[in-house]
Amino acid sequence: MYKFLCLPLMATAINLALAFFFIRSTPAAYANLIPVQYEGIGGDSFVCNIAGDNSCRAGIAQNILKEEAVPASDDPNLKEMPSINFKAYVRPDVSTFYREKPGSRRPNSHAFNGQAGKFINMTPERLNLYWDSGRGPGHFSGSVNGFEATGTATFPSHRFFYGKTNNPDEALCSFLVKVGTSVYFCDPYSDDQGEPGRAFSREKRDVKELSERDFEMYQRHKENLEFGNVYRDFTGSEWLGMYPRDPPRHKIWQADFFGQEHHVMTKETQFVELPPWEDLPRISPKPRAEGDDIPLKQYRSPESTLNITLRAVSCAPRIFEMRNFISHVEADHILMLTNRTHELHRSSTGDGNHPSERDNTRTSLNTWIYREETPIIDTIYRRVADVLQLDESLLRYRQHDEHPEIGTKGSIAEPLQMVHYDPGQEYTAHHDFGYNQMSHPNQPSRSINVLLYLNDVEEGGETSFPRWLNAETTEGLDVKPEKGKAVLFYMLLPDGNSDDLTQHAALPVIKGEKWMSNLWIWDPFKE
């Protein structure tokens, strides 16, 4: 593992010296400025007496190129849990998000009171989960195998029940969602009714009826629930995974305070002119040797590199904006590809491997675009890999000698999910992650989402994070959809737990239309 320490970038006053480095043409009015000090990585400082001082800019550039994201296992907020061999992620004090002394501010409550709901089936049989609206039969939410779990976004006072697949009207276990409890379990083998999250069971069973294998799985869930209680007492957050779970293998950019910036340089420059259609054949992405020319260079920006700024807009959950991540030409190409060769279908909900039925929580249309479809799509995947500090081969099918430690040759990235919203269409607050299956010891899960906005929306259509941690407002964090912008957020915490605060919504489009795409990255691999 690489052991890089990424300290915060801090700029005093206005960071015009850094802006000059990133923007080729700076207005003449900026030519003579008061001295500006820039504190770089590792504590090195640079003072630019004149904004156009090339040596100063070169020093800053060299310093920026050293910047690395932090391996998840090295996150400074991982703390050793007492009497358990596990480092848990403890969220920092909200005051530090404002670069203030811990304890000087308190987090605001949220106007939105939604939460995750994880429902564990602690029986050997396959069951169906239903939402009980109180009006007629239950609404089917998903099926789950024995000793596995499913879940959905929910609210306090919601009621659910597990029904048998051969008799859906008969509820085996009933759940009442409560504030502060996201994990619920159907355990007809235990009489302990005082545990948080326990369902009311209509059957009482003898644990001796379980086979040796089933009893082992049952015990694993009991131990996981016990770990979850200790984890919640230690961190203040619920454990949504299966213990033990390794930290994510990928690195994670730090979001220590609002407005914190990181800078990435990539050779995957932007297309500024659309190549003829015949120059955009389907490809098989392969590694590039050092010194290889990038494809279709004549249609790209003349610069040899592209500089990308990640700006933290939220610290919990960890969310970054990247303006002008894709060019307008690239955005238009994605839309052209969508409308020319793909058919849009009504969107469904789910975690990628377990889609559920279509319902009114998601009223958009979608389709999928694969990395191999054109060199422009391949470029976007490579650019994403550079920002995430991943080897691009992880985002495609690999040869046997490429990262054999992953244990699979498949991509850890999904195809681009194209989504279209017309006025009035939306996707209510939800989570993108699923719930780890006990049958998978590595517990693969969606870990990162990179949103790409492909057009400017006249009104509405924001991506809203209603539960972001802050000390100033009860309202959600609303990210405006702007053509070319990307939004990066991490769904796994540095300890491997799913981040409940990543619950987000696509707000209704009021005027115009909205085109965007999701690029989901899995850890440690995709099922």
Side-chain angles (χ1 to χ4, degrees), residues 425-437:
Q425 292 183 328
E426 64 178 326
Y427 191 180
T428 58
H430 62 282
H431 297 88
D432 286 347
F433 58 77
Y435 293 96
N436 303 135
Q437 302 301 302

Side-chain angles (χ1 to χ4, degrees), residues 441-494:
N442 294 305
Q443 300 176 47
S445 172
R446 282 177 176 169
S447 179
I448 302 170
N449 191 5
V450 179
L451 299 173
L452 303 176
Y453 295 119
L454 305 175
N455 73 311
D456 292 315
V457 182
E458 292 184 60
E459 187 178 356
E462 295 87 355
T463 303
S464 180
F465 294 85
R467 298 172 60 195
W468 69 305
L469 194 60
N470 77 95
E472 294 183 340
T473 179
T474 62
E475 299 303 315
L477 171 68
D478 294 342
V479 180
K480 184 178 180 179
E482 296 172 317
K483 188 172 184 177
K485 181 197 290 185
V487 173
L488 159 66
F489 64 92
Y490 294 92
M491 292 173 280
L492 288 185
L493 295 170

Side-chain angles (χ1 to χ4, degrees), residues 413-427:
E414 296 185 36
L416 281 177
Q417 185 197 47
M418 295 295 304
V419 189
H420 177 256
Y421 296 87
D422 276 324
Q425 292 183 328
E426 64 178 326
Y427 191 180

